[in-house]
Amino acid sequence: MSLVVIGSIALDNIETPFGKVEKVVGGAAPFACLAASYFFNKVKVVGIIGGDFPKSELTLWKEHNIDIEGLQIAEDRKNFFWSGKYHNDMNNRDTLETGLNVLEDFDPIIPAAYQDCEYLLLANLTPTTQQTAIDRLKTRPKLIVLDTMNFWMDIALDDLLATLKSVDVLTINDAEARQLSGEFSLVKAASKILQMGPKYLIIKKGEHGALLFGEDKIFSAPALPLANVFDPTGAGDTFAGGFIGYLAKVGTVNFSNMKNAVIFGSALASFCVEKFGTEKLKNLTQKEIAARVEEFVQLSSFQI
Ligand code: AMP
């Protein structure tokens, strides 16, 4: 039984009020795989990199037990590139450039050894590529989680709507939930989106936490008030990786376990934003993660 993650693998240029970095490793899959690896030791990645992607990163993934058989290397082509600039409040950012490069015609090949996939994370990527990954798995996974962004809503909405019909959980941020549903109220947005296919919806609200909708219930998770938010890039992908990694570890998918998964995903995301890129996700300990989760518990625990 394994957890397969398919998603973009990027080189990012990022500018936040605290600094600027160039060509750091980013993309949905690295954040998600590293986060999931803290809960589950059979994480397998499907993705593509170009010749300019640093090979040292692959060593790091192997150290985290991430299986890279599904990784394609296009030595003579350029890697997917993204550049973004955050506003002063860090909740909003502008995409300055998206260079699809190797992602433009990426054909996701699923190795035979990945057919044991029970948990599938379709991290941020072209909706048609996400759909192809589902179609190429001979047995439908027990849980399919899809993460996407406004970029795909803008340029490939019909494909996204088609893929949404095949997934169990959708994770998007509040602005994307409003864009997808055409509703301002997140409650109304959730009810519309849950009619598009997913049984569960997670709306991420940056420094204001996350909402989980499904089974006619709502769960609200806080975000930890952090003293040092350095770079929010990848927080959503880290959240999704932690979320599905935790569910793969416990092995039973229900609303109650999903509530805990949202907390574990949020805890991992809270680490991610403390440094640029994937830096902070490289060397966490289980003790640090447990202490961070306990902070979440204490933050919103009260009795009446
Ligand atoms: P997040 O902050 O969770 O939205 O994730 C940011 C990461 O998503 C960055 O590392 C980017 O490289 C990656 N990214 C940005 N735009 C896209 C896109 N259109 N498709 C896939 N990944 C993207």
Side-chain angles (χ1 to χ4, degrees):
M1 192 269 272
S2 68
L3 190 178
V4 172
V5 176
I6 175 166
S8 61
I9 301 171
L11 291 175
D12 289 342
N13 281 7
I14 304 164
E15 190 174 339
T16 81
F18 302 104
K20 214 172 160 176
V21 285
E22 293 198 344
K23 300 226 166 149
V24 290
V25 170
F31 288 109
C33 287
L34 287 171
S37 74
Y38 286 100
F39 302 110
F40 193 67
N41 67 5
K42 287 206 181 61
V43 177
K44 303 179 174 181
V45 66
V46 175
I48 186 161
I49 57 174
D52 49 342
F53 189 84
K55 303 286 181 307
S56 55
E57 198 67 18
L58 308 186
T59 313
L60 172 84
W61 297 352
K62 283 186 200 150
E63 283 165 11
H64 276 256
N65 254 321
I66 298 165
D67 186 331
I68 60 166
E69 196 191 335
L71 186 71
Q72 298 173 36
I73 306 179
E75 281 297 350
D76 54 345
R77 296 183 62 191
K78 277 177 80 176
N79 204 83
F80 171 65
F81 169 79
W82 177 78
S83 111
K85 183 175 175 178
Y86 286 84
H87 299 187
N88 275 345
D89 69 359
M90 301 273 254
N91 278 329
N92 293 301
R93 72 179 176 208
D94 295 323
T95 289
L96 304 179
E97 195 183 333
T98 302
L100 289 178
N101 302 325
V102 287
L103 269 194
E104 206 153 8
D105 50 1
F106 170 48
D107 181 33
I109 294 164
I110 312 284
Y114 285 30
Q115 291 294 341
D116 65 350
C117 167
E118 278 199 15
Y119 292 82
L120 175 63
L121 174 56
L122 302 166
N124 198 4
L125 204 61
T126 333
T128 46
T129 314
Q130 293 176 317
Q131 183 66 53
T132 306
I134 301 176
D135 296 343
R136 288 185 177 168
L137 286 169
K138 294 184 185 124
T139 310
R140 190 202 189 271
K142 185 162 147 186
L143 184 76
I144 303 179
V145 177
L146 183 142
D147 185 53
T148 189
M149 72 186 293
N150 54 353
F151 183 83
W152 303 115
M153 293 174 195
D154 292 340
I155 70 162
L157 183 61
D158 288 345
D159 296 337
L160 177 62
L161 290 174
T163 306
L164 283 184
K165 293 195 171 40
S166 315
V167 311
D168 302 302
V169 183
L170 170 66
T171 71
I172 44 179
N173 70 29
D174 41 3
E176 291 155 355
R178 291 184 169 117
Q179 178 172 349
L180 186 60
S181 64
E183 294 284 352
F184 181 79
S185 150
L186 293 181
V187 175
K188 286 186 184 164
S191 121
K192 270 198 178 172
I193 293 168
L194 288 173
Q195 286 168 25
M196 296 176 186
K199 294 187 234 12
Y200 301 90
L201 169 70
I202 296 170
I203 301 182
K204 300 163 286 180
K205 299 188 295 159
E207 64 171 337
H208 304 297
L211 294 170
L212 164 68
F213 296 86
E215 299 180 16
D216 288 323
K217 294 181 237 188
I218 306 179
F219 172 64
S220 170
L224 213 55
L226 293 170
N228 297 308
V229 177
F230 214 67
D231 170 22
T233 309
D237 313 307
T238 304
F239 172 91
F243 174 81
I244 197 166
Y246 175 82
L247 285 173
K249 175 183 160 176
V250 294
T252 308
V253 176
N254 56 36
F255 196 81
S256 168
N257 286 342
M258 278 197 192
K259 282 165 61 173
N260 287 347
V262 167
I263 297 296
F264 277 88
S266 304
L268 265 286
S270 76
F271 284 117
C272 169
V273 302
E274 289 179 335
K275 286 202 174 156
F276 271 113
T278 54
E279 204 48 45
K280 189 74 193 234
L281 296 179
K282 291 181 179 171
N283 293 306
L284 291 171
T285 64
Q286 293 298 333
K287 208 172 154 192
E288 279 174 298
I289 296 172
R292 189 58 64 99
V293 166
E294 184 55 27
E295 284 187 63
F296 273 84
V297 174
Q298 294 306 327
L299 184 69
S300 52
S301 124
F302 57 87
Q303 284 185 326
I304 294 177

